[in-house]
Amino acid sequence: MFAQTFCQVSISRICCVHKEWKANLLKKIDNYRPTLADVAAEADVSAMTVSRALREPGRVSEETRNRINAAIEKLGYVPDPAARTLAAKRSDIIGVIVPSVTNSVFSDVMNGIYSVAENTPYQIQFGNSHYSPIEEERLLRTFLGQKPVGLIVSGIDQTPTSKALLEKAPCRVVQIMETAPDPIDMIVGFSHRDSAVAATRHLLDQGYKKPGMLAARMDPRAQRRVEGFRQVATERGRWNEEAVVMTPARSSVTLGGHLMADLLSKVPETDAILCNNDDLALGALFECQRRGIKVPEDMGICGFNDLEMMAAAYPSLTSVRTFRSEIGKQATHMLLAALSGEGPAEMMHDVGFEVIARQSTQRRPG
Amino acid sequence: MFAQTFCQVSISRICCVHKEWKANLLKKIDNYRPTLADVAAEADVSAMTVSRALREPGRVSEETRNRINAAIEKLGYVPDPAARTLAAKRSDIIGVIVPSVTNSVFSDVMNGIYSVAENTPYQIQFGNSHYSPIEEERLLRTFLGQKPVGLIVSGIDQTPTSKALLEKAPCRVVQIMETAPDPIDMIVGFSHRDSAVAATRHLLDQGYKKPGMLAARMDPRAQRRVEGFRQVATERGRWNEEAVVMTPARSSVTLGGHLMADLLSKVPETDAILCNNDDLALGALFECQRRGIKVPEDMGICGFNDLEMMAAAYPSLTSVRTFRSEIGKQATHMLLAALSGEGPAEMMHDVGFEVIARQSTQRRPG
DNA sequence: TTGTACGCGTTATCAA
DNA sequence: TTGATAACGCGTACAA
């Protein structure tokens, strides 16, 4: 059933490569890097003027600036970030802490951050907290040691120590992914509770009577979404604790199928589910197909995040669209604005969300 | 059809936050960081000894070492990486260049890299080349400016300039994702051509007669996979140029549906497809369901990478499993081994692949 | 507009 | 085993 293939790497090849590498090492020794002083000598000015030409071109006469640029070009000068950081007492690093790098939600956020930071003199440095506040605290200390110009951290549930570190950090801080009345400095995100509220209302408005919820990776945001579901279900008299299936396990399509099966065994009359994310929703859909349960007639399915695949599925899947890339972009823009001195236009930004209704919750023929 | 909700942020709230922030700024001023000298004074030794105690504990007597550690603890000393880098003339940064941070293939690789680098003194710095060799070259220069201890770059198709930079770089280099007879230094990956060969053979062995291929984001690796498909199809007399639908566009589930539709309009008799990745395969499956084409009876589908969802789909989807996380881990291990001086056991490592046969290519019952 | 003196916090070298 | 001294390459403060 399985076919496996490996390429053979011959021993002789390895030896050969090794010999070549030694030769390379010798070449690497003449790796002299020109310094500011070298450029200065070449351009016949002082090192200070070169430094200025680089950072405040306006304060250097055009003629000398041209000479300097020519010298830089000729020597192939590249500034030494370490020396700069040491002298200036602050680096051009923007530290970013996310709970996961594989979760596509955060990939999108990271992408957004990169896209606006890319054309600035700032460097992005990522840290992966693995959803652990303790890890986050450790990362924070590491980052702080690098004298960053700014910090972007995920969520609002930092440990007290982390909060304290962030509050007295000598740099600007942006919290992302959520909204909160009391941000440490700046914040951009949306209300997870409200978005679940809107999604649950959508399900009930479509005529489903026995809604359930599937949730995994119960981080603070997932919990707030469950809260939103509970609120609406309770308000409308549709609350059934049994119909909420949660697990701290990592979310996945496979898990979505398992949770769906779980739910059906506990509450067979369930006719709609709100999933904590799109992977679970897709898994639930497959499980329904496997069991011959018709979607959306017998089971309404709503996901969360609106990943690209949701629109392409058959039936297409309803989801709550979140603006992940936008969060990353906005956070970085706010930070840059704050750094530029003009101060950001706002300290808090809500990027909102949208319930995107598709076939999977279209109970009433439309 | 759509519901949209925004949270209101009151103006008064903003002002309030702004005032608080000013107060914080004042606090931030007393942000004194103890230095080596401070620790030295506290422990009543010289700065040099403290520095040694940190990096080569064995060369400091146990008694002084204890005094020093106590002082470090008491003062909350954190080494300054910039100063260290400047003095040592090399940083503890490992630069990593990937073509995309949202593509889950590279997320997995990044995760693997992190997982082994996390407990070392080295810092991972990512760069996103956006599949552009020019961007890659630019990133390379930036990284090189940081005097990294090691570089991990994706693929083997660097520009000549990039290759030259890497060859004379004063640090170790690991190329990842592919195999090649002439790596710059070290390399870990697998043969994309061979993996496509194995997958295509699987399709034909299952009894499919008119195989086609769907491919997007035609990067060098995608092209090599198409090559593998062509080779086997030709060998077995099943080659039809029309049946290969390619596009340089970014891959997605939606695109998979479109490409499938394209293929069916060009070559309606197609009875199996090899997809360049799993997103395309999933989209193709949905497209078949939409059209009432039975999988695997009327259409065999094989994806590439074996993302988690493939096993959970209905019908479950055949795919070529690739060891992405493993590539990241191995690359980092090789680098660490090389840095530790003992030299890596091997300069090239092939992580292989596996064709995971599932329902979607099970033409013959059994 | 340009330059001088000095310090940033650490490590390498050599000596004790 | 420990310490003194001199870099490392650049930016700040001030002066010219």
Side-chain angles (χ1 to χ4, degrees):
Chain A
M1 182 143 175
F2 293 168
Q4 179 151 11
T5 310
F6 289 105
C7 280
Q8 284 297 323
V9 179
S10 74
I11 294 295
S12 64
R13 178 78 229 148
I14 291 180
C15 295
C16 177
V17 169
H18 200 259
K19 225 185 296 177
E20 283 170 25
W21 172 68
K22 273 192 180 170
N24 276 341
L25 251 202
L26 295 179
K27 267 193 262 164
K28 292 180 185 183
I29 290 178
D30 66 49
N31 223 287
Y32 183 73
R33 273 181 70 176
T35 71
L36 265 192
D38 296 326
V39 177
E42 179 73 28
D44 202 34
V45 291
S46 79
M48 198 50 241
T49 307
V50 180
S51 175
R52 269 202 207 91
L54 250 30
R55 291 171 300 123
E56 314 164 278
R59 290 186 48 186
V60 173
S61 79
E62 186 168 345
E63 197 232 301
T64 38
R65 207 190 314 145
N66 291 145
R67 262 205 339 274
I68 290 173
N69 286 334
I72 288 179
E73 191 72 22
K74 179 176 171 193
L75 270 48
Y77 168 77
V78 179
D80 184 328
R84 171 176 295 182
T85 299
L86 185 58
K89 286 189 246 202
R90 56 186 194 76
S91 71
D92 36 24
I93 288 178
I94 294 177
V96 180
I97 299 181
V98 293
S100 161
V101 289
T102 41
N103 183 329
S104 74
V105 168
F106 291 102
S107 303
D108 288 341
V109 173
M110 287 163 64
N111 211 35
I113 293 175
Y114 262 128
S115 71
V116 357
E118 233 153 31
N119 302 309
T120 71
Y122 300 109
Q123 296 282 327
I124 298 296
Q125 177 90 267
F126 280 106
N128 184 349
S129 75
H130 299 277
Y131 290 95
S132 153
I134 303 299
E135 273 285 310
E136 181 177 56
E137 199 175 305
R138 212 179 52 80
L139 281 170
L140 218 43
R141 288 184 202 280
T142 305
F143 278 150
L144 253 12
Q146 307 197 34
K147 303 174 196 145
V149 281
L151 243 25
I152 298 178
V153 299
S154 302
I156 56 178
D157 300 274
Q158 286 78 21
T159 65
T161 311
S162 291
K163 279 219 167 84
L165 283 173
L166 287 170
E167 248 143 31
K168 54 175 245 197
C171 69
R172 300 304 297 260
V173 175
V174 188
Q175 287 165 296
I176 58 172
M177 304 317 287
E178 306 197 45
T179 52
D182 55 347
I184 292 172
D185 181 357
M186 297 178 276
I187 187 166
V188 31
F190 64 96
S191 167
H192 290 256
R193 188 180 221 283
D194 290 356
S195 56
V197 163
T200 310
R201 286 198 179 133
H202 167 71
L203 285 178
L204 297 179
D205 290 349
Q206 290 293 313
Y208 294 103
K209 308 291 186 201
K210 304 280 186 183
M213 180 156 185
L214 266 35
R217 171 74 77 199
M218 299 307 295
D219 67 13
R221 289 169 288 286
Q223 289 175 27
R224 284 188 256 279
R225 276 176 246 152
V226 171
E227 250 325 295
F229 173 79
R230 176 212 286 264
Q231 176 190 319
V232 175
T234 305
E235 276 172 16
R236 305 246 190 135
R238 302 293 183 188
W239 173 249
N240 175 2
E241 181 134 25
E242 289 270 295
V244 176
V245 184
M246 296 187 280
T247 163
R250 200 180 131 272
S251 185
S252 73
V253 180
T254 304
L255 184 62
H258 294 337
L259 294 184
M260 181 85 235
D262 246 45
L263 174 56
L264 288 174
S265 72
K266 284 185 189 159
V267 192
E269 66 271 28
T270 302
D271 65 354
I273 51 166
L274 173 59
C275 299
N276 200 38
N277 65 46
D278 290 339
D279 284 348
L280 296 181
L282 186 61
L285 171 65
F286 287 138
E287 185 63 28
C288 288
Q289 293 178 345
R290 219 169 272 127
R291 293 171 177 241
I293 297 174
K294 283 186 183 165
V295 176
E297 295 82 354
D298 304 330
M299 180 68 68
I301 298 182
C302 178
F304 197 92
N305 277 325
D306 196 34
L307 300 189
E308 180 268 333
M309 64 185 178
M310 301 302 272
Y314 180 74
S316 61
L317 290 162
T318 293
S319 194
V320 178
R321 178 171 297 171
T322 56
F323 303 94
R324 307 175 293 283
S325 173
E326 191 60 25
I327 288 178
K329 287 183 192 167
Q330 284 295 335
T332 315
H333 275 138
M334 274 169 95
L335 199 52
L336 295 180
L339 294 178
S340 76
E342 12 167 302
E346 42 178 8
M347 306 293 290
M348 310 171 99
H349 184 71
D350 190 325
V351 298
F353 55 83
E354 266 181 48
V355 174
I356 308 289
R358 296 205 182 88
Q359 294 169 355
S360 71
T361 54
Q362 200 111 24
R363 174 167 242 177
R364 299 168 305 194
Chain B
M1 179 140 172
F2 293 170
Q4 179 152 12
T5 310
F6 289 106
C7 281
Q8 285 296 324
V9 179
S10 75
I11 295 295
S12 64
R13 177 78 231 148
I14 293 179
C15 297
C16 176
V17 170
H18 200 259
K19 226 184 295 176
E20 284 170 26
W21 171 69
K22 274 191 179 169
N24 277 340
L25 252 203
L26 295 179
K27 267 192 262 165
K28 293 180 185 185
I29 290 178
D30 66 46
N31 223 287
Y32 182 72
R33 272 182 70 176
T35 71
L36 265 191
D38 296 325
V39 176
E42 179 73 29
D44 201 36
V45 291
S46 78
M48 201 49 239
T49 306
V50 179
S51 175
R52 269 202 208 91
L54 251 31
R55 292 170 300 124
E56 312 164 279
R59 289 187 48 187
V60 172
S61 78
E62 186 168 344
E63 197 232 302
T64 40
R65 208 191 313 146
N66 290 143
R67 266 208 331 275
I68 289 173
N69 286 334
I72 288 178
E73 191 71 22
K74 178 177 172 192
L75 270 48
Y77 169 77
V78 179
D80 183 327
R84 169 175 297 185
T85 300
L86 184 59
K89 287 189 250 201
R90 55 185 194 78
S91 71
D92 37 24
I93 287 176
I94 294 176
V96 180
I97 300 182
V98 292
S100 162
V101 289
T102 41
N103 183 329
S104 74
V105 168
F106 291 102
S107 303
D108 288 340
V109 173
M110 287 164 64
N111 212 34
I113 293 175
Y114 263 129
S115 71
V116 358
E118 234 155 32
N119 301 309
T120 71
Y122 300 108
Q123 296 283 327
I124 299 296
Q125 177 90 267
F126 280 106
N128 184 349
S129 74
H130 299 276
Y131 290 94
S132 153
I134 304 298
E135 274 283 312
E136 181 179 57
E137 198 174 307
R138 213 179 51 80
L139 282 169
L140 219 44
R141 287 183 204 281
T142 305
F143 278 150
L144 253 12
Q146 307 196 36
K147 303 174 196 145
V149 281
L151 243 24
I152 297 178
V153 300
S154 302
I156 55 178
D157 300 273
Q158 286 80 22
T159 65
T161 312
S162 292
K163 279 222 168 83
L165 284 173
L166 287 170
E167 248 144 31
K168 53 176 246 196
C171 68
R172 299 305 296 260
V173 176
V174 188
Q175 286 166 297
I176 57 171
M177 305 316 289
E178 307 198 44
T179 53
D182 55 347
I184 293 172
D185 181 357
M186 296 177 277
I187 187 165
V188 32
F190 64 96
S191 167
H192 290 256
R193 188 180 220 281
D194 290 356
S195 55
V197 163
T200 310
R201 286 197 179 135
H202 167 72
L203 285 179
L204 297 179
D205 289 350
Q206 290 293 312
Y208 294 104
K209 308 289 186 202
K210 303 281 186 181
M213 182 159 183
L214 267 34
R217 170 75 78 199
M218 299 307 294
D219 66 13
R221 289 169 289 285
Q223 289 174 28
R224 282 188 257 279
R225 276 176 245 152
V226 172
E227 248 328 292
F229 173 80
R230 176 211 284 264
Q231 177 190 318
V232 175
T234 305
E235 276 173 16
R236 304 248 190 134
R238 301 295 183 188
W239 173 250
N240 175 2
E241 181 135 26
E242 289 270 295
V244 177
V245 183
M246 296 186 281
T247 164
R250 201 181 131 272
S251 185
S252 72
V253 180
T254 304
L255 184 63
H258 294 337
L259 294 184
M260 181 85 235
D262 246 45
L263 174 57
L264 289 174
S265 72
K266 284 185 188 159
V267 191
E269 66 272 27
T270 302
D271 66 355
I273 51 166
L274 172 60
C275 298
N276 200 36
N277 65 46
D278 290 338
D279 284 347
L280 296 181
L282 186 61
L285 171 64
F286 286 137
E287 185 63 27
C288 287
Q289 292 179 344
R290 220 170 270 127
R291 293 169 176 240
I293 297 174
K294 283 187 185 165
V295 176
E297 294 82 353
D298 305 330
M299 180 68 69
I301 299 182
C302 178
F304 198 92
N305 278 325
D306 196 35
L307 300 189
E308 179 268 333
M309 64 185 179
M310 302 303 272
Y314 181 75
S316 59
L317 291 162
T318 293
S319 194
V320 179
R321 178 170 297 170
T322 57
F323 304 93
R324 308 174 293 284
S325 174
E326 191 59 24
I327 289 178
K329 288 182 191 167
Q330 284 295 336
T332 316
H333 275 138
M334 275 169 94
L335 199 51
L336 294 180
L339 294 178
S340 76
E342 13 167 301
E346 41 179 6
M347 307 293 291
M348 312 170 99
H349 184 73
D350 190 325
V351 298
F353 56 83
E354 265 181 48
V355 175
I356 307 289
R358 297 206 182 86
Q359 294 168 355
S360 71
T361 54
Q362 199 111 26
R363 175 168 242 178
R364 298 169 305 194

